[in-house]
Amino acid sequence: YYPRKPSQHLPIFRLTGISPKQLRIEENRPLPKSIPNIIAAIVVFIIFLILAKVTRKASTRLLPRVTKNKAVIDLLRTINYVLVLTLGVFVSLEILNLDKTVTSILAGAGVLGLALGFAFQEIASNFVAGVLIAIKEPYKIGDIVEVDGMQGEV
């Protein structure tokens, strides 16, 4: 049996057409009986890994239409890849019925993000400013700029 109502099934089950009953997913099962869950979680993670690689290649082709800056393209490709992989990890943990683990990881990431946000506020603001400069491209290679009385070439 499956401890959830059919309306609470994971999206992956709706996408693949596999029902949780077919996988015989149950909570608190001993390891030998949980092997189908482990195999399903590994398969789902591999699918997300492949999907992450495909989206990275697609973004490599599509992002140059938005911006010509290679640094911005690489940054957006990496963010896209990490987001898809992170989603894959969470879906895999959900298949293994580790809901509390997922909640703990998300809570820990939120607290860590808040702490790091305060600790590295200046670095983060400089990073965001650098990304915005890279996107808007107000300076090009060869431009002469002056900052605080210092003059130099980009």
Side-chain angles (χ1 to χ4, degrees), residues 2-59:
Y2 189 71
R4 296 180 182 193
K5 296 177 185 173
S7 62
Q8 295 175 320
H9 289 174
L10 292 173
I12 193 72
F13 291 123
R14 282 179 272 177
L15 291 174
T16 60
I18 299 171
S19 75
K21 290 181 181 178
Q22 290 172 321
L23 294 176
R24 299 173 194 253
I25 297 175
E26 296 179 23
E27 291 183 1
N28 301 323
R29 294 178 75 183
L31 183 60
K33 293 183 179 181
S34 295
I35 290 179
N37 290 15
I38 295 169
I39 293 171
I42 291 171
V43 168
V44 166
F45 182 74
I46 291 171
I47 290 170
F48 272 95
L49 183 64
I50 293 168
L51 183 64
K53 290 180 180 183
V54 168
T55 57
R56 183 169 52 183
K57 285 185 181 181
S59 61

Side-chain angles (χ1 to χ4, degrees), residues 85-104:
L85 274 185
T86 303
L87 181 64
V89 167
F90 287 138
V91 170
S92 296
L93 289 173
E94 182 81 22
I95 289 173
L96 293 172
N97 290 321
L98 297 174
D99 299 337
K100 293 179 183 177
T101 304
V102 172
T103 304
S104 298

Side-chain angles (χ1 to χ4, degrees), residues 68-147:
K68 301 294 182 202
N69 192 324
K70 185 172 174 10
V72 173
I73 291 171
D74 289 341
L75 175 67
L76 293 175
R77 281 181 47 216
T78 303
I79 290 172
N80 185 21
Y81 182 77
V82 169
L83 285 176
V84 173
L85 274 185
T86 303
L87 181 64
V89 167
F90 287 138
V91 170
S92 296
L93 289 173
E94 182 81 22
I95 289 173
L96 293 172
N97 290 321
L98 297 174
D99 299 337
K100 293 179 183 177
T101 304
V102 172
T103 304
S104 298
I105 290 172
L106 288 175
V111 170
L112 182 65
L114 185 65
L116 290 177
F118 282 122
F120 298 113
Q121 185 175 5
E122 187 176 332
I123 294 171
S125 67
N126 288 338
F127 176 75
V128 171
V131 169
L132 290 175
I133 288 173
I135 290 172
K136 292 185 178 185
E137 296 183 5
Y139 311 110
K140 294 187 172 51
I141 295 175
D143 286 353
I144 297 175
V145 295
E146 184 176 339
V147 177

